[in-house]
Amino acid sequence: MKAQNEFSIKRVTSYGKDELAVSLNFKKSTNSDMYFFNSYRAELQKPGSETRVGQTFYINNEGRNITQKEAYNLLDSRSVNKDLANKDGQLHNAWLKLDFKETTSNGNFKVRQFSPQYGFELEKALEKPPIKELTDPQERVRLSESLERGNRQVVTFAGDGDQKRFIEANPQFKSITVYDENQKRIRQSGADETQKSIEQTEKKNHQQGNKELSGEEEKSEGNSRKRSVKV
């Protein structure tokens, strides 16, 4: 019987009411009988939705891979902080977020990166809401690490009677997103104004890019007409 060159192992993990179906992909080496874990496909099924949202994550030898929980968080529209290596092997840190409006040539969603130069500082963003856990140095570290993995973390807001809240990092809009005890988003005037401003800027840049592209197309078409007349 001829040995398979590739095979997959499938499993399903529940995160609350969400289900994440994962296919671990292995491929045989061309130089030996060893098999290597090359990639995995993660597909998120939300309750009440008939479709799954999926992404293929590739494995590298440096150990800075996207974990299954991080894959779940990315597919659930949150951001993950990772140390990445460029083509020269140099490390840099960035927040990653999937752009569900744009796909790449291999069918994956485009991964947006927000480097430190973008201006989001998690520690400063955490100082704005009255988070009780920040008064304990160990709890502060655990909270930051959890948010960097893309988790939606439960915290306590101090005030007239402590209140249970859920928070998640939102580097794209340089803020912390806050949810109530039922995990419904709480509108925050300052953060929402920042988000609105950034969204308007990105929309304007996108429209400007389309306009410039359209102008280049018209210019190219005009040159084509000129060339046809000369011929």
Side-chain angles (χ1 to χ4, degrees):
M1 183 176 178
K2 187 177 180 180
Q4 289 182 312
N5 291 326
E6 301 178 19
F7 70 91
S8 298
I9 298 175
K10 301 180 184 298
R11 65 183 183 184
V12 177
T13 304
S14 296
Y15 295 98
K17 295 181 180 179
D18 299 340
E19 285 191 352
L20 189 74
V22 176
S23 295
L24 309 177
N25 303 317
F26 295 83
K27 190 172 184 178
K28 187 178 179 181
S29 169
T30 55
N31 301 319
S32 69
D33 291 332
M34 295 182 65
Y35 285 84
F36 294 93
F37 178 30
N38 291 328
S39 66
Y40 69 94
R41 176 76 178 175
E43 296 184 342
L44 175 61
Q45 179 80 54
K46 302 286 288 184
S49 175
E50 296 181 357
T51 59
R52 289 180 173 180
V53 180
Q55 183 87 346
T56 299
F57 298 91
Y58 296 94
I59 305 302
N60 60 62
N61 296 326
E62 289 81 13
R64 291 179 293 276
N65 299 299
I66 298 295
T67 67
Q68 179 178 303
K69 182 63 183 300
E70 290 170 343
Y72 162 71
N73 287 331
L74 287 169
L75 289 169
D76 204 25
S77 302
R78 288 186 289 280
S79 301
V80 171
N81 184 271
K82 299 292 287 187
D83 287 328
L84 308 170
N86 62 20
K87 61 181 180 180
D88 298 320
Q90 297 177 327
L91 288 178
H92 67 281
N93 182 268
W95 287 87
L96 309 180
K97 184 178 177 63
L98 297 184
D99 185 346
F100 296 105
K101 295 180 180 179
E102 188 172 350
T103 55
T104 61
S105 58
N106 64 0
N108 264 352
F109 294 110
K110 182 179 178 180
V111 180
R112 300 190 64 180
Q113 294 190 21
F114 303 96
S115 67
Q117 291 73 23
Y118 182 75
F120 174 67
E121 296 182 50
L122 179 60
E123 289 299 318
K124 286 187 177 180
L126 284 173
E127 294 291 348
K128 295 180 180 180
I131 301 173
K132 196 172 182 179
E133 285 77 6
L134 296 180
T135 59
D136 184 322
Q138 291 184 338
E139 286 294 325
R140 187 186 189 102
V141 171
R142 279 195 285 266
L143 175 59
S144 295
E145 290 177 347
S146 179
L147 294 174
E148 287 176 347
R149 290 193 294 271
N151 295 328
R152 181 178 294 177
Q153 185 66 38
V154 61
V155 295
T156 307
F157 274 25
D160 294 333
D162 293 342
Q163 296 177 320
K164 180 181 177 181
R165 293 288 183 262
F166 292 86
I167 62 171
E168 62 187 45
N170 193 341
Q172 181 179 1
F173 299 111
K174 304 175 184 178
S175 64
I176 295 293
T177 304
V178 181
Y179 300 84
D180 65 16
E181 64 275 12
N182 298 315
Q183 301 204 41
K184 292 184 179 179
R185 186 182 170 191
I186 297 175
R187 307 295 295 184
Q188 297 172 277
S189 57
D192 289 338
E193 285 300 318
T194 300
Q195 178 170 336
K196 184 178 180 181
S197 175
I198 294 176
E199 285 176 340
Q200 289 175 341
T201 300
E202 290 185 341
K203 183 178 180 181
K204 182 178 179 181
N205 292 339
H206 182 69
Q207 290 174 339
Q208 181 65 29
N210 288 340
K211 185 177 179 181
E212 292 175 355
L213 179 60
S214 177
E216 289 297 323
E217 290 174 347
E218 290 178 359
K219 183 178 178 181
S220 176
E221 185 179 348
N223 290 337
S224 297
R225 287 199 295 268
K226 289 178 182 179
R227 286 194 296 269
S228 66
V229 170
K230 289 180 180 179
V231 174

